[in-house]
Amino acid sequence: MSSLDRDTLTEIAEKALTRPSDAMFWDDRLFTTHGAMFHWADNGDDILEESNYLSALALIQGAAGDFADDHVIDGSARHFAFGSLRTIYVQVYEGDVMRCRECDEIAAWAVSRKKHGRRRFLCDSHKDCWEWESERYGLPALAPIKYRPKFTAAFTEAAELAYGLLDYPIIDESDYSEREYERFQSNLNEALEYVQRDFEDDSEQESAAISERAYEGGLGELLGELPDACVDTDKVAAIYREARDAYFTELGNAHLNAPIAGQLALV
Ligand SMILES: [Zn+2]
């Protein structure tokens, strides 16, 4: 059961199904049965947006179960501002939902002429049609009953996730941290390779030892310093150089302090 009340779900449904006026869509289901719930500019650097999008997608597909293929669309489109934009579209109402007999909108009212008679369905704006028809046929209609179209499990899940983001910006904390850490490592390695070009005579073994020392000496603490796991290449260079100096100084001292051949014999 959803933790969101029906009015909130209805409001989110309406927003999700509102078709942007300036765009073309490749699939008839978009903004008719399937509403847009999450976006991700997937050639950008925003790790949080990436993590939230992919985490939401997995959770919504999970909630949809056997209907995942029909109820969830992971769509990709060119966008004038973002380049490539991915969007999760989710089928909002169950397939057997009733539609207004006048305009085909999702129905909001059920009306009939007698208690267990055949029901007719109408949207909010066509609710009055029934009264007109009653007059014409001279049959009184019973008071319209509010019709509550059933939301899909996929939509309910998506709405809860979207609503939850208003309180807390991360859908899956561990997914986000993993992505951030991976991106950081990759950015850091790139920066290290760049600094190491100045020290081409260092052996691979020496470079690895210096890198390790530099990581302990401050590189590791750069995580989280800049947004989206970026690293300050000047800082990386400074820390690496410092670690390299220390490494060779130590190596030199070790060499100087090593017993000179024959020394022992003199003591
Ligand atoms: Zn209607």
Side-chain angles (χ1 to χ4, degrees):
M1 233 10 245
S2 172
S3 59
L4 297 177
D5 63 37
R6 195 169 178 92
D7 287 347
T8 308
L9 287 172
T10 303
E11 196 181 307
I12 295 172
E14 275 166 17
K15 251 182 224 160
L17 286 168
T18 303
R19 177 183 289 265
S21 57
D22 60 344
M24 297 274 291
F25 298 98
W26 76 97
D27 188 319
D28 289 346
R29 295 173 297 171
L30 307 186
F31 301 105
T32 52
T33 54
H34 290 59
M37 298 299 296
F38 292 91
H39 296 292
W40 169 33
D42 65 346
N43 51 5
D45 287 333
D46 194 321
I47 299 172
L48 184 56
E49 202 181 85
E50 172 181 328
S51 170
N52 280 347
Y53 185 92
L54 295 173
S55 300
L57 182 61
L59 288 166
I60 295 165
Q61 284 169 333
D66 291 344
F67 299 104
D69 286 347
D70 286 335
H71 289 182
V72 190
I73 302 171
D74 176 15
S76 187
R78 302 294 305 165
H79 188 278
F80 69 95
F82 308 111
S84 167
L85 188 71
R86 270 169 76 177
T87 303
I88 303 175
Y89 298 94
V90 172
Q91 183 169 323
V92 175
Y93 297 104
E94 290 289 0
D96 57 1
V97 75
M98 292 302 172
R99 290 177 174 271
C100 172
R101 63 184 308 218
E102 301 290 328
C103 71
D104 218 34
E105 289 280 300
I106 298 290
W109 298 94
V111 282
S112 63
R113 288 185 176 128
K114 41 189 185 185
K115 204 162 180 203
H116 297 291
R118 187 168 159 215
R119 293 194 302 166
R120 299 281 170 84
F121 296 88
L122 295 163
C123 70
D124 273 324
S125 48
H126 287 113
K127 188 183 167 192
D128 293 342
C129 291
W130 183 252
E131 285 166 31
W132 178 82
E133 219 175 273
S134 295
E135 272 171 34
R136 190 164 76 153
Y137 293 109
L139 290 162
L142 298 173
I145 300 162
K146 193 89 185 110
Y147 171 66
R148 301 186 183 286
K150 197 163 177 265
F151 294 111
T152 62
F155 171 75
T156 308
E157 175 74 12
E160 278 172 13
L161 291 172
Y163 204 77
L165 284 176
L166 300 176
D167 280 337
Y168 190 70
I170 304 174
I171 288 180
D172 183 336
E173 194 86 43
S174 66
D175 179 273
Y176 173 69
S177 312
E178 261 168 52
R179 285 176 198 280
E180 186 186 39
Y181 187 71
E182 261 171 48
R183 179 87 64 84
F184 173 71
Q185 289 295 340
S186 138
N187 288 341
L188 185 59
N189 286 340
E190 209 171 284
L192 278 175
E193 275 168 34
Y194 189 78
V195 193
Q196 284 166 345
R197 281 183 212 165
D198 288 348
F199 308 109
E200 278 176 344
D201 292 337
D202 294 356
S203 73
E204 226 170 86
Q205 202 186 345
E206 285 165 343
S207 300
I210 297 163
S211 297
E212 204 173 302
R213 199 183 181 112
Y215 198 86
E216 299 304 321
L219 290 183
E221 284 150 40
L222 297 179
L223 174 60
E225 203 188 51
L226 294 176
D228 293 317
C230 289
V231 293
D232 180 333
T233 48
D234 290 341
K235 274 193 187 168
V236 172
I239 294 168
Y240 186 86
R241 283 166 192 279
E242 200 179 302
R244 187 177 178 277
D245 287 347
Y247 174 81
F248 283 113
T249 304
E250 225 169 70
L251 207 65
N253 288 341
H255 185 73
L256 285 176
N257 295 337
I260 298 159
Q263 195 180 44
L264 256 177
L266 295 173
V267 177

